[in-house]
PDB file of all heavy atoms in Angstrom:
ATOM      1  N   LEU A 274      17.843  24.651 -36.649  1.00  0.00           N
ATOM      2  CA  LEU A 274      17.282  26.001 -36.567  1.00  0.00           C
ATOM      3  C   LEU A 274      17.006  26.580 -37.955  1.00  0.00           C
ATOM      4  O   LEU A 274      16.295  27.579 -38.079  1.00  0.00           O
ATOM      5  CB  LEU A 274      18.233  26.942 -35.809  1.00  0.00           C
ATOM      6  CG  LEU A 274      18.650  26.498 -34.411  1.00  0.00           C
ATOM      7  CD1 LEU A 274      19.483  27.579 -33.740  1.00  0.00           C
ATOM      8  CD2 LEU A 274      17.433  26.155 -33.557  1.00  0.00           C
ATOM      9  N   PHE A 275      17.559  25.954 -38.982  1.00  0.00           N
ATOM     10  CA  PHE A 275      17.349  26.412 -40.356  1.00  0.00           C
ATOM     11  C   PHE A 275      16.105  25.727 -40.906  1.00  0.00           C
ATOM     12  O   PHE A 275      16.030  24.501 -40.979  1.00  0.00           O
ATOM     13  CB  PHE A 275      18.568  26.074 -41.210  1.00  0.00           C
ATOM     14  CG  PHE A 275      18.419  26.451 -42.656  1.00  0.00           C
ATOM     15  CD1 PHE A 275      18.518  27.780 -43.044  1.00  0.00           C
ATOM     16  CD2 PHE A 275      18.180  25.489 -43.619  1.00  0.00           C
ATOM     17  CE1 PHE A 275      18.380  28.144 -44.378  1.00  0.00           C
ATOM     18  CE2 PHE A 275      18.047  25.831 -44.950  1.00  0.00           C
ATOM     19  CZ  PHE A 275      18.138  27.171 -45.322  1.00  0.00           C
ATOM     20  N   VAL A 276      15.117  26.518 -41.292  1.00  0.00           N
ATOM     21  CA  VAL A 276      13.849  25.981 -41.782  1.00  0.00           C
ATOM     22  C   VAL A 276      13.693  26.373 -43.247  1.00  0.00           C
ATOM     23  O   VAL A 276      13.543  27.557 -43.570  1.00  0.00           O
ATOM     24  CB  VAL A 276      12.661  26.528 -40.960  1.00  0.00           C
ATOM     25  CG1 VAL A 276      11.338  26.003 -41.494  1.00  0.00           C
ATOM     26  CG2 VAL A 276      12.831  26.169 -39.487  1.00  0.00           C
ATOM     27  N   THR A 277      13.746  25.387 -44.129  1.00  0.00           N
ATOM     28  CA  THR A 277      13.680  25.683 -45.558  1.00  0.00           C
ATOM     29  C   THR A 277      12.345  26.282 -45.952  1.00  0.00           C
ATOM     30  O   THR A 277      12.250  27.043 -46.920  1.00  0.00           O
ATOM     31  CB  THR A 277      13.928  24.407 -46.380  1.00  0.00           C
ATOM     32  OG1 THR A 277      12.972  23.409 -45.997  1.00  0.00           O
ATOM     33  CG2 THR A 277      15.327  23.876 -46.138  1.00  0.00           C
ATOM     34  N   GLN A 278      11.266  25.941 -45.207  1.00  0.00           N
ATOM     35  CA  GLN A 278       9.940  26.452 -45.547  1.00  0.00           C
ATOM     36  C   GLN A 278       9.738  27.898 -45.113  1.00  0.00           C
ATOM     37  O   GLN A 278       8.734  28.513 -45.469  1.00  0.00           O
ATOM     38  CB  GLN A 278       8.862  25.577 -44.887  1.00  0.00           C
ATOM     39  CG  GLN A 278       8.907  24.119 -45.311  1.00  0.00           C
ATOM     40  CD  GLN A 278       9.712  23.270 -44.340  1.00  0.00           C
ATOM     41  OE1 GLN A 278      10.620  23.768 -43.688  1.00  0.00           O
ATOM     42  NE2 GLN A 278       9.401  21.989 -44.270  1.00  0.00           N
ATOM     43  N   ARG A 279      10.656  28.439 -44.337  1.00  0.00           N
ATOM     44  CA  ARG A 279      10.511  29.814 -43.871  1.00  0.00           C
ATOM     45  C   ARG A 279      10.714  30.772 -45.041  1.00  0.00           C
ATOM     46  O   ARG A 279      11.633  30.617 -45.827  1.00  0.00           O
ATOM     47  CB  ARG A 279      11.544  30.091 -42.767  1.00  0.00           C
ATOM     48  CG  ARG A 279      11.364  31.418 -42.064  1.00  0.00           C
ATOM     49  CD  ARG A 279      12.515  31.679 -41.090  1.00  0.00           C
ATOM     50  NE  ARG A 279      12.481  30.791 -39.944  1.00  0.00           N
ATOM     51  CZ  ARG A 279      13.514  30.072 -39.521  1.00  0.00           C
ATOM     52  NH1 ARG A 279      14.658  30.106 -40.187  1.00  0.00           N
ATOM     53  NH2 ARG A 279      13.400  29.290 -38.469  1.00  0.00           N
ATOM     54  N   TYR A 280       9.841  31.749 -45.153  1.00  0.00           N
ATOM     55  CA  TYR A 280       9.974  32.735 -46.212  1.00  0.00           C
ATOM     56  C   TYR A 280       9.462  34.073 -45.704  1.00  0.00           C
ATOM     57  O   TYR A 280       8.939  34.181 -44.610  1.00  0.00           O
ATOM     58  CB  TYR A 280       9.185  32.311 -47.460  1.00  0.00           C
ATOM     59  CG  TYR A 280       7.697  32.377 -47.264  1.00  0.00           C
ATOM     60  CD1 TYR A 280       6.979  33.506 -47.643  1.00  0.00           C
ATOM     61  CD2 TYR A 280       7.002  31.323 -46.663  1.00  0.00           C
ATOM     62  CE1 TYR A 280       5.606  33.577 -47.443  1.00  0.00           C
ATOM     63  CE2 TYR A 280       5.643  31.389 -46.463  1.00  0.00           C
ATOM     64  CZ  TYR A 280       4.947  32.522 -46.851  1.00  0.00           C
ATOM     65  OH  TYR A 280       3.607  32.594 -46.636  1.00  0.00           O
ATOM     66  N   GLY A 281       9.604  35.111 -46.514  1.00  0.00           N
ATOM     67  CA  GLY A 281       9.137  36.430 -46.114  1.00  0.00           C
ATOM     68  C   GLY A 281      10.288  37.417 -46.088  1.00  0.00           C
ATOM     69  O   GLY A 281      11.468  37.052 -46.097  1.00  0.00           O
ATOM     70  N   GLU A 282       9.959  38.701 -46.028  1.00  0.00           N
ATOM     71  CA  GLU A 282      10.967  39.745 -46.112  1.00  0.00           C
ATOM     72  C   GLU A 282      11.937  39.746 -44.938  1.00  0.00           C
ATOM     73  O   GLU A 282      13.042  40.269 -45.038  1.00  0.00           O
ATOM     74  CB  GLU A 282      10.282  41.114 -46.209  1.00  0.00           C
ATOM     75  CG  GLU A 282       9.464  41.308 -47.480  1.00  0.00           C
ATOM     76  CD  GLU A 282       8.695  42.614 -47.465  1.00  0.00           C
ATOM     77  OE1 GLU A 282       9.339  43.673 -47.623  1.00  0.00           O
ATOM     78  OE2 GLU A 282       7.468  42.572 -47.271  1.00  0.00           O
ATOM     79  N   LEU A 283      11.535  39.177 -43.826  1.00  0.00           N
ATOM     80  CA  LEU A 283      12.366  39.191 -42.630  1.00  0.00           C
ATOM     81  C   LEU A 283      12.948  37.814 -42.329  1.00  0.00           C
ATOM     82  O   LEU A 283      13.453  37.566 -41.257  1.00  0.00           O
ATOM     83  CB  LEU A 283      11.552  39.685 -41.434  1.00  0.00           C
ATOM     84  CG  LEU A 283      12.273  40.116 -40.149  1.00  0.00           C
ATOM     85  CD1 LEU A 283      13.370  41.127 -40.436  1.00  0.00           C
ATOM     86  CD2 LEU A 283      11.286  40.659 -39.139  1.00  0.00           C
ATOM     87  N   SER A 284      12.918  36.929 -43.282  1.00  0.00           N
ATOM     88  CA  SER A 284      13.378  35.566 -43.025  1.00  0.00           C
ATOM     89  C   SER A 284      14.753  35.284 -43.624  1.00  0.00           C
ATOM     90  O   SER A 284      15.267  34.184 -43.450  1.00  0.00           O
ATOM     91  CB  SER A 284      12.375  34.557 -43.580  1.00  0.00           C
ATOM     92  OG  SER A 284      12.292  34.662 -44.987  1.00  0.00           O
ATOM     93  N   GLY A 285      15.324  36.242 -44.309  1.00  0.00           N
ATOM     94  CA  GLY A 285      16.625  36.031 -44.927  1.00  0.00           C
ATOM     95  C   GLY A 285      17.692  36.917 -44.319  1.00  0.00           C
ATOM     96  O   GLY A 285      17.655  37.260 -43.145  1.00  0.00           O
ATOM     97  N   ALA A 286      18.650  37.317 -45.153  1.00  0.00           N
ATOM     98  CA  ALA A 286      19.800  38.083 -44.675  1.00  0.00           C
ATOM     99  C   ALA A 286      19.666  39.580 -44.935  1.00  0.00           C
ATOM    100  O   ALA A 286      20.602  40.335 -44.673  1.00  0.00           O
ATOM    101  CB  ALA A 286      21.070  37.562 -45.351  1.00  0.00           C
ATOM    102  N   THR A 287      18.506  40.008 -45.427  1.00  0.00           N
ATOM    103  CA  THR A 287      18.312  41.428 -45.724  1.00  0.00           C
ATOM    104  C   THR A 287      17.619  42.123 -44.561  1.00  0.00           C
ATOM    105  O   THR A 287      16.513  41.736 -44.177  1.00  0.00           O
ATOM    106  CB  THR A 287      17.453  41.599 -46.995  1.00  0.00           C
ATOM    107  OG1 THR A 287      18.081  40.915 -48.083  1.00  0.00           O
ATOM    108  CG2 THR A 287      17.311  43.073 -47.327  1.00  0.00           C
ATOM    109  N   PRO A 288      18.244  43.144 -43.974  1.00  0.00           N
ATOM    110  CA  PRO A 288      17.607  43.862 -42.861  1.00  0.00           C
ATOM    111  C   PRO A 288      16.292  44.506 -43.291  1.00  0.00           C
ATOM    112  O   PRO A 288      16.106  44.852 -44.461  1.00  0.00           O
ATOM    113  CB  PRO A 288      18.645  44.919 -42.463  1.00  0.00           C
ATOM    114  CG  PRO A 288      19.937  44.392 -42.988  1.00  0.00           C
ATOM    115  CD  PRO A 288      19.596  43.650 -44.245  1.00  0.00           C
ATOM    116  N   PHE A 289      15.400  44.664 -42.327  1.00  0.00           N
ATOM    117  CA  PHE A 289      14.096  45.273 -42.600  1.00  0.00           C
ATOM    118  C   PHE A 289      13.946  46.501 -41.717  1.00  0.00           C
ATOM    119  O   PHE A 289      14.076  46.418 -40.504  1.00  0.00           O
ATOM    120  CB  PHE A 289      12.970  44.273 -42.313  1.00  0.00           C
ATOM    121  CG  PHE A 289      11.626  44.722 -42.791  1.00  0.00           C
ATOM    122  CD1 PHE A 289      11.182  44.378 -44.052  1.00  0.00           C
ATOM    123  CD2 PHE A 289      10.809  45.509 -42.001  1.00  0.00           C
ATOM    124  CE1 PHE A 289       9.946  44.789 -44.512  1.00  0.00           C
ATOM    125  CE2 PHE A 289       9.573  45.932 -42.438  1.00  0.00           C
ATOM    126  CZ  PHE A 289       9.144  45.567 -43.705  1.00  0.00           C
ATOM    127  N   ASP A 290      13.679  47.639 -42.335  1.00  0.00           N
ATOM    128  CA  ASP A 290      13.567  48.893 -41.597  1.00  0.00           C
ATOM    129  C   ASP A 290      12.100  49.178 -41.299  1.00  0.00           C
ATOM    130  O   ASP A 290      11.352  49.619 -42.160  1.00  0.00           O
ATOM    131  CB  ASP A 290      14.176  50.035 -42.405  1.00  0.00           C
ATOM    132  CG  ASP A 290      14.288  51.314 -41.584  1.00  0.00           C
ATOM    133  OD1 ASP A 290      13.664  51.384 -40.508  1.00  0.00           O
ATOM    134  OD2 ASP A 290      14.999  52.229 -42.009  1.00  0.00           O
TER     135      ASP A 290
END
Side-chain angles (χ1 to χ4, degrees):
L274 305 185
F275 177 75
V276 178
T277 57
Q278 300 95 332
R279 188 186 290 129
Y280 70 94
E282 295 174 73
L283 195 52
S284 64
T287 303
F289 190 92
D290 189 346

